[in-house]
Amino acid sequence: MVQYAPARLDTSFAALSDPTRRGVLEQLGRSDASITDLAEKFRMTLTGMKKHVGVLEESGLVTTEKVGRVRTCKLGPRRLEEEMAWLERYRQMWDARFDELDKVVLELKRKEKTDDHKNRE
Amino acid sequence: MVQYAPARLDTSFAALSDPTRRGVLEQLGRSDASITDLAEKFRMTLTGMKKHVGVLEESGLVTTEKVGRVRTCKLGPRRLEEEMAWLERYRQMWDARFDELDKVVLELKRKEKTDDHKNRE
C-alpha cells in the first residue's frame, strides 16, 4: 500500500477527529464565516474557536483573511483526495482480507463434511 | 450535512492520524501478526506498540486474541464506511462551493468587460 504524504495525512485526520472542527467545515461549505460567527454558532469562547480554526488552517482545510478587525474563514484548497485514496485502498484491502478468510472457512467446512462422510462409511 | 455517529468518527479519525497505526493496519491487511511481530517490524518497544494497538482496538479497527502468551492482532470489523461517506460528502460540498465562487468571479469579469465597453463608447 502506497503511503501518501504521511505528515499531511497525520494533520488532516487529526483535524477531522473533532466534532466541532467537522462542524466548522460543514458550515464553511454553506458560506464563509467570521470567527465570531463560528464561536456563536458552536456556543464556544472566541479563544476556543480560534484554536480549532488554527488546527484547520494548519492542515490546509481552512484559509482565513483579516479585513479590518474581522477574520473571515473559508474552505481551504484541500479537497481531501489523499485521505479518500487511503480509505479507498483500506477498504479494498479489507475486502480482500475477509474474502480470503471466507475461503479458508469454506475450505475447512468442506473438509469437515468430507471427513464426516468418510467416518460414516 | 448529516452527522454519522460523531463519537465513532472522532475515535477512528484520531486512530488514523498516526503513521505507525496506519502502517499496522496495512500490515494486518496482508496477514495477522502478534504484538511482538509488529513491534519488531516498526522498530518500537512492546509497550509503545501495545499502546498503538490499544487505540486501534478501541476504535474497532483491530481485534486481538490471546492464545497462551501470544496476543494476535487482526483487522477488526470496521470497513471505515462512515468515514468514507463523510469525506465523499465533504468533497461534493467543496466542489459545489468552489463552483459557486467560480460563477461569482465569472460574473464580475463579465460586468467589468461591459463597463469597459460602456466607458469606451
Side-chain angles (χ1 to χ4, degrees), chain B residues 77-118:
Chain B
R78 300 210 44 215
R79 217 170 146 245
L80 294 175
E81 309 236 11
E82 288 159 22
E83 293 72 11
M84 278 284 278
W86 196 93
L87 290 183
E88 185 55 48
R89 278 160 179 277
Y90 181 77
R91 188 149 75 167
Q92 280 168 13
M93 194 184 69
W94 194 95
D95 288 344
R97 186 85 190 119
F98 281 80
D99 282 355
E100 204 182 288
L101 292 176
D102 279 351
K103 271 186 210 148
V104 172
V105 171
L106 273 178
E107 190 52 40
L108 283 173
K109 278 193 184 156
R110 192 160 32 212
K111 215 171 157 272
E112 222 168 50
K113 251 190 188 165
T114 321
D115 288 352
D116 259 14
H117 197 71
K118 272 188 194 153

Side-chain angles (χ1 to χ4, degrees), chain B residues 47-85:
Chain B
T47 317
M49 186 48 78
K50 269 183 197 163
K51 271 189 201 161
H52 281 310
V53 168
V55 173
L56 289 167
E57 211 175 354
E58 268 168 40
S59 65
L61 289 167
V62 159
T63 56
T64 72
E65 196 187 359
K66 200 166 185 177
V67 179
R69 297 183 62 168
V70 179
R71 182 170 291 279
T72 303
C73 309
K74 317 171 189 274
L75 286 189
R78 300 210 44 215
R79 217 170 146 245
L80 294 175
E81 309 236 11
E82 288 159 22
E83 293 72 11
M84 278 284 278

Side-chain angles (χ1 to χ4, degrees), chain A residues 6 10 13 16 19 22 26 28-29 32 76-80 84 86-88 90-91 93-95 97, chain B residues 1 6 10 13 16 19 22 25-26 28-29 32 76-80 84 86-88 90 94-95 97:
Chain A
D10 293 1
F13 281 136
L16 295 176
R22 291 196 302 276
E26 291 165 15
L28 297 180
D32 299 347
R78 300 211 45 214
R79 217 170 146 246
L80 295 175
M84 278 284 279
W86 196 93
L87 291 183
E88 185 57 46
Y90 181 77
R91 189 150 72 167
M93 195 183 69
W94 194 96
D95 288 346
R97 187 84 191 119
Chain B
M1 200 156 162
D10 292 1
F13 281 135
L16 294 177
R22 292 196 301 277
L25 291 175
E26 290 165 16
L28 298 180
D32 299 349
R78 300 210 44 215
R79 217 170 146 245
L80 294 175
M84 278 284 278
W86 196 93
L87 290 183
E88 185 55 48
Y90 181 77
W94 194 95
D95 288 344
R97 186 85 190 119

Side-chain angles (χ1 to χ4, degrees), chain A residues 73-86:
Chain A
C73 309
K74 315 170 193 278
L75 287 189
R78 300 211 45 214
R79 217 170 146 246
L80 295 175
E81 309 236 11
E82 289 159 22
E83 292 72 8
M84 278 284 279
W86 196 93

